[in-house]
Amino acid sequence: MKYKSQQIAYWFFALCILLFALQITYGFIMGFARIGWDGLHDIIPFNTARAVHTNLLVVWLLSGFMGAAYYIIPEEAQRELVSVKLAFVQFFSLALVGVIAIVGYHFNYWEGRKFLEIPRELDYLVVVNVLLFLGLILTTLFKGKRQTTTAMVLSMGLLFAALLYLPGMIWFDSQVMDSFFRWWVVHLWVEGVWELIMGGILAFLLIKLTGVDREVIEKWLYVIVGLTFLSGVLGTGHHYYYIGVNKIWLVVGGIFSALEPLAFLGMALFAVYMYRKGEKKHPNKLALFWTIGSAIVSFIGAGLLGFAHTLPQTNLYTHGTLVTAMHGHYAFWGAYAMIVLAIISYSVPNMTGRKRFDKTAGHMAFWLSNIGMLGMVVALGVAGVVQVYLERRLKMDFMVAQEETKIHFVVMLLCATLFTVGIVMYMYEFIRYGKPSDEALEPAA
Amino acid sequence: MLSKSQARAFFLGGTVVTFLIFIGLTIYSFAPKNDQTNRDKLTAEVAKGKRIWESNNCMGCHTILGEGAYYAPELTKVVERRGEPFIRAVLQSPVPWAPNGRKMVAYAMNDEDTEAVIAYLKWIGEIDLNGFDRVVSPLSKGEKQ
């Protein structure tokens, strides 16, 4: 670690880990409810558990992105963060908004719009919070000694993510328009600007871990984020096939979303190629595992599994089924959860000065969580196919078809247990590292 | 070989062009002649139904227009499938409705709110969904796929 102010990232990462643990807990509540064990229904009905599960994911990933930015931007800009105090204010307000939202969901305090359940009053607080965050990051960047492509792409991703939150705050009487603009936020986040953030973090990690020349890495970063937007923006059309808008989206969405895997393929090839080209001297192999793993799993989860149901002819039957949940789990895990876990694995040893990255627990965490998640995704995929076939093709009643999926949720819960063991080991390692220390600061060159 | 500035131009150029096309297509989609939602039938009661739908996070279990949580049935064609008296009974039930043991929250809704939700579901049921309406409609049973 070169700058003391980078230590603020640690607190965002700690919040990440805490919220991730809670997210998994609510995932189990949902999984058990699906096999008929819904003893918590009166306190935490499925819709509450679901809103908490997905919103915690969004908040912990955002907390991870923010932590990553606080760690990366000072190092890239070669100066301290403009204000650590304000960064702490931003941290506590983020945690506060998150806690109020999550508690509120248990008392019907929500907007009830998938992924954007945060009630309107809290939306304004989110806007203020993100403006403060962006102010700190961008001021640091532009006051810095250099503005690297990596830092610019990361900051641009964060800025666009904030701007794209706004269309989700417009009120529509029409469910169709509501859905249409909700996807401006959700799709253009996860299949657009978040990929910029992921690309920025990935480029930073590859520069640090492989030792490959920055110019080469950053050139390919532009190509990848270029491919992302070229396919992802018009690829939004795959959400518009069957929600009540013009048929033109069947053509536009079909073509461009079929191209979306290219960006993820580019990302995977880029990471693997840079690793092979690099010196392989960096001792933090665990961070490298998470980094390369993220690029590869995101290609499978977001790219290939997304493609599996993105064509209009397939999506006509899979739209609104568990097939979406299958794709969603692996895509979010690979593209965003793993890249956040990668930057944590890279930066925490640097912030604390403790080099525990060759510990068995850390490696077990990587493999168990990945194998567990793969199992969960296969179980969800089978359940999805069963649902599509029975309900959409054979026209069986919804609940009759659901009965047939129960066994797949038993398998999913078993795999989720394996996944959780991996994540608990990751958390154990995080705790064992302890807090950041000034002794970890590298002497000024 | 591609230079860094060419790569940057590809990124910026591609982004601007696709965003402009995207905005153009959005405007085209909502032009009155392309409306597939019977916008003129979207009454204040339908809008009220939508607010009740959202304030109870119905999408947290059900799906509508294929969007939601896949824990409870797709409701796009529910009025056609179940009829109004059935829906009224479910919404007004003081105890959790539990088909095959899977529980729904008991809303014990009053008459006014119930009618608003039904109006909303009816409006949804009449939208032209480019073929998806047939997939989720029971009336297509036996129809050639």
Side-chain angles (χ1 to χ4, degrees):
Chain A
M1 180 178 58
K2 291 180 180 150
Y3 301 93
K4 186 172 158 54
S5 54
Q6 285 176 288
Q7 288 177 359
I8 181 78
Y10 176 86
W11 300 102
F12 283 85
F13 294 151
L15 181 65
C16 256
I17 303 273
L18 182 70
L19 298 182
F20 189 14
L22 262 181
Q23 191 212 351
I24 293 172
T25 310
Y26 278 80
F28 271 105
I29 293 173
M30 292 161 76
F32 281 121
R34 281 193 178 272
I35 61 167
W37 295 5
D38 60 351
L40 291 173
H41 175 81
D42 291 340
I43 340 162
I44 310 172
F46 190 89
N47 59 348
T48 300
R50 154 92 187 189
V52 174
H53 184 69
T54 51
N55 281 258
L56 277 174
L57 170 71
V58 174
V59 179
W60 86 253
L61 289 178
L62 284 178
S63 181
F65 293 160
M66 287 171 174
Y70 282 126
Y71 186 85
I72 294 172
I73 297 297
E75 199 155 317
E76 290 289 294
Q78 295 181 339
R79 61 155 291 152
E80 294 284 0
L81 192 69
V82 285
S83 170
V84 174
K85 266 187 198 161
L86 283 176
F88 267 113
V89 170
Q90 194 253 318
F91 169 74
F92 284 114
S93 60
L94 175 77
L96 186 70
V97 170
V99 169
I100 297 175
I102 298 308
V103 173
Y105 293 165
H106 293 75
F107 299 95
N108 258 21
Y109 182 50
W110 48 20
E111 250 181 30
R113 297 156 71 232
K114 193 177 173 183
F115 299 120
L116 302 180
E117 284 91 348
I118 289 192
R120 192 48 47 99
E121 300 77 25
L122 290 184
D123 274 341
Y124 297 117
L125 284 179
V126 171
V127 171
V128 173
N129 183 274
V130 172
L131 283 177
L132 177 57
F133 163 73
L134 284 171
L136 291 168
I137 288 298
L138 295 176
T139 318
T140 307
L141 179 61
F142 289 104
K143 276 187 169 180
K145 290 186 187 134
R146 57 175 193 177
Q147 286 84 39
T148 64
T149 301
T150 300
M152 293 297 275
V153 167
L154 176 62
S155 306
M156 217 169 137
L158 293 162
L159 178 65
F160 282 164
L163 288 175
L164 281 168
Y165 191 66
L166 303 178
M169 290 173 64
I170 307 170
W171 168 261
F172 295 105
D173 283 339
S174 160
Q175 181 68 43
V176 173
M177 291 184 88
D178 195 299
S179 283
F180 191 95
F181 287 100
R182 196 164 44 81
W183 287 117
W184 274 42
V185 187
V186 181
H187 174 94
L188 291 177
W189 264 15
V190 300
E191 287 163 73
V193 296
W194 279 24
E195 283 184 55
L196 249 65
I197 300 170
M198 180 200 176
I201 300 173
L202 186 67
F204 175 81
L205 286 167
L206 289 173
I207 291 167
K208 298 290 171 185
L209 293 168
T210 66
V212 173
D213 183 48
R214 172 185 289 276
E215 285 300 296
V216 177
I217 287 183
E218 291 183 338
K219 177 176 81 179
W220 291 109
L221 175 63
Y222 270 136
V223 174
I224 286 159
V225 292
L227 278 174
T228 298
F229 275 171
L230 208 57
S231 57
V233 174
L234 290 169
T236 316
H238 62 226
H239 296 288
Y240 299 159
Y241 296 158
Y242 306 117
I243 64 163
V245 283
N246 197 269
K247 282 192 174 68
I248 196 161
W249 291 107
L250 296 175
V251 181
V252 175
I255 293 171
F256 284 89
S257 53
L259 296 174
E260 278 188 57
L262 283 182
F264 286 102
L265 177 64
M267 196 99 76
L269 291 175
F270 166 66
V272 172
Y273 180 68
M274 292 307 153
Y275 165 69
R276 295 181 66 171
K277 196 177 157 79
E279 298 161 341
K280 303 182 183 65
K281 277 184 192 158
H282 201 286
N284 193 345
K285 292 282 180 289
L286 200 51
L288 195 64
F289 269 52
W290 284 108
T291 306
I292 309 286
S294 169
I296 293 171
V297 177
S298 67
F299 167 58
I300 303 168
L304 289 183
L305 294 183
F307 183 74
H309 72 133
T310 203
L311 296 179
Q313 296 88 335
T314 320
N315 196 255
L316 179 63
Y317 295 100
T318 58
H319 179 51
T321 67
L322 291 160
V323 171
T324 313
M326 172 269 299
H327 158 59
H329 276 78
Y330 216 38
F332 271 105
W333 169 247
Y336 302 120
M338 284 183 76
I339 200 72
V340 168
L341 298 180
I343 186 75
I344 295 176
S345 297
Y346 170 76
S347 61
V348 169
N350 297 347
M351 288 190 279
T352 58
R354 297 178 193 94
K355 313 288 178 197
R356 296 177 48 83
F357 32 63
D358 54 350
K359 296 287 177 204
T360 312
H363 286 272
M364 290 283 283
F366 175 84
W367 290 109
L368 290 181
S369 59
N370 268 289
I371 294 167
M373 178 52 82
L374 185 61
M376 285 164 67
V377 168
V378 171
L380 270 174
V382 177
V385 172
V386 168
Q387 185 192 0
V388 168
Y389 195 75
L390 299 183
E391 193 191 323
R392 298 280 167 84
R393 297 290 296 195
L394 300 183
K395 304 282 177 183
M396 280 166 72
D397 182 69
F398 177 86
M399 272 315 301
V400 176
Q402 286 290 304
E403 280 293 307
E404 302 299 321
T405 66
K406 267 188 181 173
I407 183 65
H408 306 299
F409 281 96
V410 173
V411 176
M412 186 186 172
L413 283 164
L414 290 172
C415 296
T417 307
L418 192 65
F419 173 78
T420 307
V421 172
I423 298 304
V424 167
M425 288 174 113
Y426 189 96
M427 290 168 185
Y428 167 79
E429 275 300 298
F430 182 84
I431 294 165
R432 287 295 303 271
Y433 266 106
K435 289 183 192 148
S437 159
D438 288 350
E439 287 170 19
L441 276 168
E442 287 174 25
Chain B
M1 190 62 181
L2 186 78
S3 69
K4 193 172 172 181
S5 59
Q6 286 170 324
R8 189 191 304 125
F10 166 71
F11 163 56
L12 294 174
T15 303
V16 170
V17 170
T18 49
F19 256 111
L20 288 175
I21 297 173
F22 184 60
I23 288 166
L25 284 173
T26 299
I27 295 167
Y28 174 80
S29 296
F30 292 106
K33 70 179 174 65
N34 292 323
D35 177 46
Q36 298 182 186
T37 66
N38 305 307
R39 222 176 285 172
D40 51 321
K41 290 187 186 164
L42 205 168
T43 59
E45 195 178 27
V46 172
K48 184 184 173 190
K50 178 176 178 273
R51 274 195 296 277
I52 296 168
W53 169 268
E54 285 173 356
S55 61
N56 290 302
N57 192 17
C58 303
M59 222 187 227
C61 292
H62 290 277
T63 45
I64 195 121
L65 306 178
E67 292 179 354
Y70 341 113
Y71 185 70
E74 165 67 55
L75 296 182
T76 298
K77 286 279 182 185
V78 70
V79 180
E80 193 180 282
R81 196 171 73 241
R82 295 291 197 188
E84 290 182 31
F86 182 93
I87 301 168
R88 220 167 265 130
V90 173
L91 292 175
Q92 298 192 337
S93 171
V95 290
W97 194 265
N100 291 29
R102 188 172 283 183
K103 288 186 200 123
M104 175 172 158
V105 174
Y107 289 106
M109 222 173 256
N110 63 35
D111 287 343
E112 202 183 316
D113 287 356
T114 306
E115 294 314 313
V117 173
I118 291 174
Y120 164 75
L121 291 171
K122 267 178 156 171
W123 179 80
I124 291 274
E126 286 166 13
I127 298 172
D128 172 1
L129 297 175
N130 298 337
F132 184 67
D133 31 354
R134 284 197 305 280
V135 172
V136 292
S137 165
L139 302 184
S140 66
K141 217 172 203 175
E143 194 182 87
K144 272 192 174 174
Q145 300 289 334

